[in-house]
């Protein structure tokens, strides 16, 4: 393969490199090697001196007056143009506003900190070398986020972003709660709190592209809005943005007769697990729980046996005072290993609840039923109890336990369209991508707690977090594709790359630290230049 000569612009200076493509037999793909030729002087490569590398030992006269972390920014700065994030933002924001927002995004990924500390963090990064005029005081950042929150920029960005990356036809959908103790945010309301922290909340829904592993849109709702209402709004917005052909994969929290009717009426393909709240589903499960074990339904999945039996739900109900019949196809699955794991866990926790309640001696002023609920929690339904002479007499409800055991290892996935059992099960299990997004957002990006004082600031802040989540999840996918995920988590890789620094000498020249073998291997795998 022929080599090409090209110029790279690094920190405002131009350098000549020879790029040589080669075929990597191990990874079975075309890779590139870059050879440094010299600094660009009057259109020619000239090796003036090795000022691109800082010596291991510096003389006193050449000692650096400042050092900047640099290497950990490289993959983030590479993903930003790859996904056209910066170009899309610049359609709505000025260059300074875009650079400011991206600085907040990079900080959120690398070292989340309070907005009042962003300026100090920025001055320690190589971003400072190229632009030391950004308005990064806490007040100016708050103003920027507030202005974004008041505008339609987040919605317009998501429309253009989706058009750029062309989301796959399979979209994963879920919702989470973001809590706050702030007394100033009117959007905070009490509702079903997934973090069980007892605080008012807002609800944030997320749509994730299954194959790319990145979020493509989000929506914010007051904390009391039901999950099913948020789903309906998301469908409308996806269609308004031009997404016509997609399949939604959802968790059991969205299962209801209303949801099924909505999805069927809108002709949206879906996969959703059933709950037994509907009598018709309970009856279907009861009929299938023995039949599903028959040999004709036996399959092999991930080196273990699993049974998959086709089922059809026919459910009659009234919708808008009119009788309606739902007919939905699905598969009833029976997983023997899962049954054993669920059985062991259930017995252990039921036994613990029983023993704790027997040994409980509540104070006289406490109501026994409140104590029972607090101790046994969700296992209350499986226990008979009496409060006699200051202590609890407890026994197990055998019928309730038997009914629970009969459902273990069994679950039903309903779907629309043409699907075999393996595609249905695989797509549903891949929905953990959206759960990982929520996990990364709450933990790694430290989204909680929400401390903003104004609703528009919260909306602007969540938009910034959304962009950070896109970049971080994209980096995670790159590590998986390149094989780096076998050695590095995202956090470990960024910490390793942080060792690559830029130094500013007393004469104003910028030098780069030596790049270790480990870092060179990372950069080559990511096709990056330090």
């Amino acid at each position: 393969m022929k080599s090409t000569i090209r110029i790279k612009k690094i920190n405002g200076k131009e350098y000549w490199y020879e790029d040589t493509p080669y075929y990597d037999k191990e990874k079975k793909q075309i890779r590139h090697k870059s050879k440094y030729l010299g600094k660009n002087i009057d259109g020619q490569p000239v090796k003036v001196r090795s000022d691109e590398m800082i010596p291991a030992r510096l003389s006193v006269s050449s000692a650096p007056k400042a050092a900047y972390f640099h290497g950990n920014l490289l993959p983030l700065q590479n993903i930003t143009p790859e996904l056209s994030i910066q170009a899309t933002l610049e359609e709505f924001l000025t260059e300074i506003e875009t650079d400011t927002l991206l600085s907040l995004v990079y900080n959120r990924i690398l070292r989340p900190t309070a907005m009042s500390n962003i300026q100090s963090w920025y001055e320690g990064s190589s971003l400072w070398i190229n632009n030391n005029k950004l308005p990064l005081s806490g007040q100016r950042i708050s103003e920027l986020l507030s202005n974004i929150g008041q505008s339609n920029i987040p919605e317009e960005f998501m429309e253009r972003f989706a058009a750029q990356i062309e989301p796959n036809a399979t979209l994963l959908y879920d919702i989470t709660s973001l809590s706050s103790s702030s007394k100033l945010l009117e959007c905070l309301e009490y509702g079903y709190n997934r973090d069980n922290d007892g605080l008012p909340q807002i609800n944030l829904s997320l749509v994730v592209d299954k194959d790319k592993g990145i979020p493509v849109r989000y929506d914010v709702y007051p904390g009391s809005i039901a999950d099913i209402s948020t789903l309906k709004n998301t469908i409308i917005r996806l269609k308004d943005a031009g997404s016509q052909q997609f399949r939604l994969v959802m968790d059991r929290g969205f299962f209801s007769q209303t949801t099924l009717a909505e999805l069927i009426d809108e002709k949206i393909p879906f996969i959703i697990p059933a709950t037994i709240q509907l009598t018709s589903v309970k009856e279907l499960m009861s009929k299938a729980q023995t039949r599903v074990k028959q040999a004709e339904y036996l399959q092999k999945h991930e080196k273990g046996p699993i049974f998959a039996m086709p089922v059809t739900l026919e459910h009659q109900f009234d919708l808008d005072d009119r009788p309606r019949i739902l007919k939905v196809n699905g598969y009833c699955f029976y997983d023997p290993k899962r049954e054993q794991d669920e059985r062991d866990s259930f017995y252990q926790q039921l036994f613990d609840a029983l023993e704790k309640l027997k040994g409980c001696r509540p104070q006289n002023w406490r109501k026994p039923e409140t104590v029972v609920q607090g101790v046994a929690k969700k296992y209350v339904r499986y226990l008979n109890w009496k409060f006699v002479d200051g202590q609890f007499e407890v026994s197990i409800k055998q019928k309730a336990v038997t009914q629970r055991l009969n459902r273990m290892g069994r679950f039903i996935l309903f779907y629309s369209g043409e699907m075999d059992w393996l595609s249905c099960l695989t797509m549903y299990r891949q929905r953990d991508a959206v759960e990982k997004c929520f996990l990364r957002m709450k933990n790694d990006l430290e989204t909680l707690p929400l401390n903003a004082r104004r609703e528009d600031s919260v909306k602007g802040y969540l938009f910034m977090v959304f962009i950070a989540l896109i970049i971080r999840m994209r980096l995670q996918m790159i590590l998986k594709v390149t094989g780096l995920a076998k050695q590095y988590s995202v956090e470990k890789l960024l910490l390793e790359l942080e060792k690559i620094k830029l130094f500013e000498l007393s004469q104003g020249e910028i030098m780069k630290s030596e790049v270790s073998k480990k870092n060179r291997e990372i950069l080559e795998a990511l096709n990056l230049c330090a």
Side-chain angles (χ1 to χ4, degrees), residues 18-73:
E18 181 183 26
D19 187 276
T20 305
Y22 68 96
Y23 183 74
D24 189 328
K25 293 181 180 179
E26 182 179 342
K27 297 187 180 294
K28 296 182 180 180
Q29 64 182 23
I30 300 296
R31 305 285 297 280
H32 294 263
K33 289 182 180 179
S34 290
K35 179 182 178 182
Y36 171 72
L37 300 179
K39 197 171 183 179
N40 182 27
I41 298 179
D42 297 329
Q44 298 294 325
V46 178
K47 287 190 176 181
V48 180
R49 61 188 181 88
S50 57
D51 62 351
E52 284 73 36
M53 301 295 289
I54 189 168
R57 295 181 181 274
L58 291 166
S59 64
V60 175
S61 61
S62 62
K65 67 175 185 178
Y68 307 93
F69 63 83
H70 174 64
N72 52 354
L73 285 163

Side-chain angles (χ1 to χ4, degrees), residues 33-299:
K33 289 182 180 179
S34 290
K35 179 182 178 182
Y36 171 72
L37 300 179
K39 197 171 183 179
N40 182 27
I41 298 179
D42 297 329
Q44 298 294 325
V46 178
K47 287 190 176 181
V48 180
R49 61 188 181 88
S50 57
D51 62 351
E52 284 73 36
M53 301 295 289
I54 189 168
R57 295 181 181 274
L58 291 166
S59 64
V60 175
S61 61
S62 62
K65 67 175 185 178
Y68 307 93
F69 63 83
H70 174 64
N72 52 354
L73 285 163
L74 295 175
L76 313 185
Q77 290 175 310
N78 192 55
I79 291 170
T80 303
E82 175 202 342
L83 298 179
S84 300
I85 291 174
Q86 182 162 354
T88 306
L89 286 173
E90 287 178 347
E91 294 183 36
F92 319 110
L93 301 171
T94 66
E95 183 179 345
I96 291 178
E97 289 172 335
T98 299
D99 289 344
T100 301
L101 183 62
L102 288 176
S103 297
L104 300 179
V105 166
Y106 296 152
N107 168 264
R108 192 58 35 184
I109 297 170
L110 296 176
R111 189 172 297 174
T113 187
M115 296 303 170
S116 58
N117 297 331
I118 294 293
Q119 179 74 44
S120 298
W121 172 85
Y122 185 81
E123 290 175 2
S125 75
S126 60
L127 300 170
W128 173 260
I129 298 173
N130 294 325
N131 191 345
N132 57 15
K133 302 295 184 183
L134 288 185
L136 291 172
S137 67
Q139 180 179 347
R140 297 297 297 275
I141 291 173
S142 180
E143 289 172 0
L144 173 62
L145 296 180
S146 179
N147 290 337
I148 291 174
Q150 291 173 6
S151 71
N152 200 39
I153 289 174
E155 187 64 37
E156 292 181 351
F157 174 88
M158 286 185 283
E159 288 184 15
R160 284 169 173 73
F161 179 67
Q164 289 279 354
I165 68 167
E166 299 178 348
N168 186 269
T170 301
L171 303 177
L172 312 174
Y173 180 80
D174 207 347
I175 192 166
T176 192
S177 309
L178 302 176
S179 305
S180 174
S181 57
S182 173
K183 306 296 184 184
L184 303 174
L185 296 177
E186 295 182 0
C187 59
L188 293 173
E189 295 180 359
Y190 286 97
Y192 171 56
N193 193 301
R194 294 154 184 83
D195 296 322
N196 296 315
D197 55 19
L199 295 174
Q201 65 195 31
I202 60 173
N203 289 334
L204 183 137
S205 67
L206 202 61
V207 179
V208 176
D209 183 298
K210 178 181 74 68
D211 288 343
K212 295 182 176 67
I214 59 175
V216 294
R217 81 163 293 116
Y218 73 100
D219 288 294
V220 180
Y221 303 93
S224 61
I225 300 295
D227 292 357
I228 295 169
S229 298
T230 68
L231 173 61
K232 186 173 183 178
N233 290 335
T234 298
I235 291 171
I236 293 172
R237 288 170 178 168
L238 283 170
K239 288 191 170 183
D240 287 345
S243 298
Q244 297 299 326
Q245 300 297 323
F246 56 88
R247 180 186 299 276
L248 285 177
V249 182
M250 296 160 287
D251 200 5
R252 65 183 70 250
F254 293 94
F255 183 82
S256 72
Q257 60 189 22
T258 306
T259 300
L260 292 175
E262 181 75 24
L263 293 169
I264 291 171
D265 290 346
E266 292 292 332
K267 296 182 173 56
I268 295 174
F270 62 85
I271 298 173
I272 186 170
T275 65
I276 59 170
Q277 293 175 340
L278 299 181
T279 302
S280 53
V281 175
K282 190 180 295 185
E283 292 173 350
L284 184 64
M285 176 67 82
S286 179
K287 291 177 182 177
Q289 67 183 25
T290 301
R291 282 189 59 207
V292 71
K293 291 184 176 182
Q294 294 178 5
E296 63 181 299
Y297 304 121
L298 176 62
Q299 306 288 348

Side-chain angles (χ1 to χ4, degrees), residues 311-330:
V311 294
T312 300
L313 172 70
E314 292 191 13
H315 177 71
Q316 185 171 348
F317 68 106
D318 291 334
L319 183 64
D320 299 328
D321 297 324
R322 291 180 298 174
R324 173 80 182 264
I325 296 178
L326 282 177
K327 189 172 182 180
V328 191
N329 292 326

